[in-house]
């Protein structure tokens, strides 16, 4: 039992409880040895007593502890004390991506792509270390106070899935890949699928598949076509849409094959959001199709059964989840699907051909009508009316929501891209919470994105909604809650209403609504602040600087290439607005990109004087001297022999700032005559020559 103030592992002092999850509780603690605050995740008792789970959990957590990356919540320690199993992690002050999405309703594509890039970089580091997360979802992604995005819970997912934890403990099935939903093998591409679902939620504010049970949701991941995020938010760029859909392909072979490919496309989408550069691989087109034989099918079934038996051995405790029961149900269904009937196949083939012929005939008839109609139109005189104006606005058909509950009406409108505002009125003929009327008729063409005002029955005991417009948020909450209502808050900028005060409310003041119904208040965030903070672009490549500027809501202006001896070639060495300053959104930042050190050239205009006595005491004027002038870079400028000084040396375009002159000459030693003292004879002594040399330093002049 964890108590505040207790010491664990003789070094971690538990300070406060900061969170709880399906498998563990999270505490803020202080590492007394290193004098730093940490997050301590403690397994709940029911999992701490499962030795098999704990063993696998410890192995995976220890592997995750080897990961060190700025986009990963790093694991520092794993331990156990008195039956308490814990892991010590980096403490990140911030909120989860899930709460961030809920707070903002949905993110802009630039913000979503920026977060996805950071998440991908963290996952890539794990994959490079052969660690698969298996539970990527917004709840496991943390945004720190300084804007850094970090992925957490590496290693925990694998330990959990290997023990078939119940669905209320395991990560949400909303983000699971089809192969995980089937209970099959999962690899790096399973994380890519889950990240794609997370991106979908960032962009739209909702998950693509929903249902009443985990089994229903899992079936949708396996069978239903992935919806496009543009169905809910039409302004999403086409490249971002394509990236999400490629991540969420049913077949792993059709997804991105690694995080490096995904990161490259995400960065490209920031630079060219509307370009069509995303390529979806189709492995089915790389080889011909063949029929699986009965013997091969039997072999597959035997291997599948053997694989399941192997999984159940060595596991003393297994909790069956809804998803696991789904696997068993699917096996029974697939048993019938695998029965091959040649006669049925021939019938099916014939019907398919017949259907193709019918479709072809219909297409021909339609083509004749269309093109024939156009010819008749071309022959008519008069003005031509275009429909571009109508086509620019998307219209949807108003669904029938009369007589259904508020939630069913909201879902029906959302499914066609419409919003809903609720007004209540008392009624003794319509049950409480049932829609009485709407301000758009069934079947009416309504512009997509419009909010439909719906009148809902408050029953016979409706309560008058108090007027809270203009009140502070706390006062408005108090007034509404004391009247028996629940409160939902939205926020928006306002030029007129002071920050923190209510701009509007739905339903409106004075209307009646049943107790317990939700009143939405829109709270002012004050005047819109269009200023954005300038990021640091120095020492980034030109491409990365462009991406960072776009992510911050800015753009790159002029790009100048200059010489720099301090910044490496290809990296930004100057930005026109300093880091941390605030400018208007969309401001252009001028940058300078280093070309490396400037290639300087020098000239040599000198007169080489004869050797001096101090340099060559035995040098005799008129003696031939061999001269060489070599630059510091090893280039030979002069190589000659002369007895005439001074010697001119004029050279240009030299790459070095100086050089060395070498003087080489010969001197005569011995020779002459002497008198032998004994005989008095004159003796001629032989002479010899020796080579002498010395050097002289010369500095060149820099050319303009």
């Amino acid at each position: 039992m964890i108590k505040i103030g207790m010491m664990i592992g003789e070094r971690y002092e538990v300070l406060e409880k900061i969170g709880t999850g399906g498998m563990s509780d999270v505490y803020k603690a202080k590492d007394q040895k290193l004098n730093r605050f940490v997050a301590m995740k403690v397994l709940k008792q029911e999992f701490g007593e499962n030795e098999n789970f704990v063993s696998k959990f410890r192995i995976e957590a220890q592997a995750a502890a080897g990961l060190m990356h700025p986009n990963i919540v790093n694991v520092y320690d794993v331990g156990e004390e008195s039956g308490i199993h814990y892991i010590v992690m980096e403490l990140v002050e911030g909120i989860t991506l899930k709460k961030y999405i809920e707070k903002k309703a949905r993110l802009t594509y630039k913000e979503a792509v920026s977060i996805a890039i950071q998440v991908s970089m963290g996952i890539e580091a794990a994959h490079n270390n052969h660690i698969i997360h298996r539970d990527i979802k917004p709840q496991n992604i943390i945004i720190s106070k300084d804007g850094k995005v970090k992925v957490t819970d590496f290693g925990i997912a694998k330990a959990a899935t290997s023990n078939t934890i119940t669905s209320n403990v395991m990560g949400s099935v909303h983000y699971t890949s089809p192969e995980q939903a089937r209970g099959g093998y999962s690899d790096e591409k399973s994380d890519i699928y889950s990240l794609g679902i997370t991106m979908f939620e960032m962009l739209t504010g909702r998950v693509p598949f929903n249902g009443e049970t985990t089994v229903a949701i899992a079936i949708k991941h396996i069978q239903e076509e992935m919806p496009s995020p543009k169905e809910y938010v039409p302004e999403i760029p086409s490249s971002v849409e394509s990236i999400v859909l490629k991540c969420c392909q049913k077949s792993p072979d059709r997804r991105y094959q690694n995080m490096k490919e995904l990161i490259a496309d995400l960065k490209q989408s920031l630079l060219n959001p509307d370009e069509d550069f995303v390529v979806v691989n189709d492995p089915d087109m790389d080889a011909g199709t063949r029929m699986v034989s009965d013997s091969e099918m039997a072999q597959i079934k035997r291997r599948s059964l053997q694989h399941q038996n192997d999984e159940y051995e060595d596991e003393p405790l297994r909790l069956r989840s809804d998803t696991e029961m789904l696997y068993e149900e699917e096996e029974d269904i697939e048993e019938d699907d695998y029965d091959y009937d040649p006669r049925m196949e021939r019938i099916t083939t014939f019907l398919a051909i017949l259907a193709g012929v019918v479709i072809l005939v219909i297409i021909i008839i339609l083509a004749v009508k269309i093109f024939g109609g156009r010819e008749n139109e071309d022959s008519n005189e008069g003005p031509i009316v275009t429909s571009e104006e109508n086509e620019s606005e998307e219209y949807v058909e108003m669904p029938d929501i009369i007589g259904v509950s508020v939630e069913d009406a909201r879902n029906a409108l959302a499914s066609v891209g419409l919003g809903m505002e609720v007004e209540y009125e008392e009624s003794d003929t319509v049950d409480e919470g049932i829609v009485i009327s709407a301000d758009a008729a069934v079947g009416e063409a309504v512009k997509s994105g419009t909010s439909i005002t719906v009148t809902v029955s408050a029953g016979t005991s409706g309560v008058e909604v108090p007027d809270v417009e203009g009140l502070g948020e706390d006062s408005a909450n108090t007034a509404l809650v004391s009247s028996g209502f629940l409160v939902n808050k939205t926020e928006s900028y306002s030029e007129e209403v002071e920050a923190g005060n209510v701009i509007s409310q739905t339903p409106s003041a004075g209307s009646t609504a049943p107790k317990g119904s939700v009143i939405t208040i829109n709270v002012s965030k004050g005047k819109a602040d269009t200023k954005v903070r300038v990021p640091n672009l120095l020492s980034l490549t030109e491409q990365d600087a462009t991406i960072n500027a776009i992510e911050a809501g800015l753009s790159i202006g002029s790009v100048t290439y200059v010489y720099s001896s301090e910044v490496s070639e290809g990296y930004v060495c100057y930005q026109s607005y300093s880091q941390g300053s605030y400018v208007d959104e969309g401001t252009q930042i001028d940058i300078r990109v280093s070309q490396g050190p400037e290639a300087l050239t020098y000239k040599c205009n000198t007169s080489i004087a004869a050797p001096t006595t101090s340099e060559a005491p035995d040098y005799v004027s008129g003696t031939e001297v061999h001269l060489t002038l070599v630059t510091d870079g090893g280039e030979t400028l002069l190589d000659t022999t002369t007895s005439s000084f001074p010697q001119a040396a004029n050279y240009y375009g030299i790459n070095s700032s100086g050089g060395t002159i070498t003087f080489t000459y010969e001197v005569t030693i011995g020779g002459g005559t002497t008198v032998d003292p004994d005989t008095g004879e004159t003796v001629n002594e032989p002479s010899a020559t020796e080579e002498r040399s010395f050097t002289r330093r010369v500095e060149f002049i820099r050319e303009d």
Side-chain angles (χ1 to χ4, degrees), residues 307-495:
H307 174 67
Q308 292 173 4
N309 292 335
D310 291 343
E311 285 185 344
Y312 277 88
E313 294 177 358
D314 306 331
E315 292 192 11
L317 177 63
R318 285 177 60 88
L319 304 177
R320 287 155 51 89
S321 66
D322 291 342
T323 307
E324 185 176 19
M325 289 187 285
L326 167 65
Y327 306 152
E328 296 172 1
E329 293 171 3
E330 285 189 338
E331 286 178 1
D332 295 338
I333 295 171
E334 290 173 354
E335 288 283 348
D336 296 334
D337 292 343
Y338 288 143
D339 291 336
Y340 173 62
D341 187 346
R343 181 172 176 275
M344 182 58 68
E345 184 188 30
R346 287 194 296 271
I347 295 174
T348 303
T349 303
F350 172 78
L351 291 175
I353 295 173
L354 180 60
V357 173
V358 172
I359 292 172
L360 181 60
V361 171
I362 293 173
I363 291 173
I364 293 173
I365 294 173
L366 290 175
V368 170
K369 288 184 176 182
I370 292 171
F371 290 108
R374 286 183 178 176
E375 288 177 2
N376 292 334
E377 290 172 3
D378 292 342
S379 63
N380 295 331
E381 296 181 355
I384 300 175
V385 181
T386 64
S387 59
E388 288 183 4
E389 184 175 344
N390 292 333
E391 289 177 354
S392 63
E393 297 181 349
E394 183 180 352
Y395 285 82
V396 296
E397 184 177 328
M398 175 67 186
D400 185 3
I401 58 173
I402 308 302
V404 303
S405 67
V406 175
E407 285 307 311
D408 288 344
R410 191 184 305 276
N411 292 335
L413 292 172
S415 67
V416 296
L418 300 174
M420 186 175 81
E421 293 184 0
V422 180
E423 292 183 352
Y424 290 92
E425 68 176 35
E426 292 188 357
S427 173
D428 54 3
T429 59
V430 180
D431 291 339
E432 179 182 319
I434 302 300
V435 175
I436 300 173
S437 63
D439 64 353
V442 177
E444 179 183 341
V446 182
K447 185 179 178 181
S448 179
T450 302
S451 286
I452 304 299
T453 301
V454 176
T455 302
V456 179
S457 170
T460 57
S461 57
V463 179
E464 183 176 344
V465 179
D467 184 3
V468 297
E469 290 185 8
L471 298 180
E473 181 182 347
D474 292 339
S475 300
N477 277 327
T478 301
L480 292 171
V481 171
S482 62
S483 298
F485 298 111
L486 301 176
V487 180
N488 177 48
K489 183 184 92 170
T490 60
E491 292 182 308
S492 61
Y493 292 106
S494 173
E495 296 295 322

Side-chain angles (χ1 to χ4, degrees), residues 256-275:
Y256 289 98
Q257 297 304 291
N258 53 61
M259 283 294 171
K260 184 177 180 180
E261 294 180 3
L262 174 56
I263 292 171
D265 275 4
L266 287 170
K267 289 185 175 181
Q268 183 70 10
S269 70
L270 287 177
L271 297 173
N272 303 292
D274 296 316
E275 284 191 8

Side-chain angles (χ1 to χ4, degrees), residues 130-144:
H130 311 292
I131 295 176
I132 304 169
H133 194 289
R134 292 179 173 84
D135 195 20
I136 296 294
K137 57 184 179 180
Q139 295 90 327
N140 283 338
I141 298 169
I142 301 176
I143 303 175
S144 66

Side-chain angles (χ1 to χ4, degrees), residues 470 493-503 523-527:
Y493 292 106
S494 173
E495 296 295 322
E496 295 82 20
V497 181
E498 183 180 348
N501 291 347
V502 177
I503 301 172
V523 179
S524 171
K525 294 196 292 183
K527 294 183 179 181

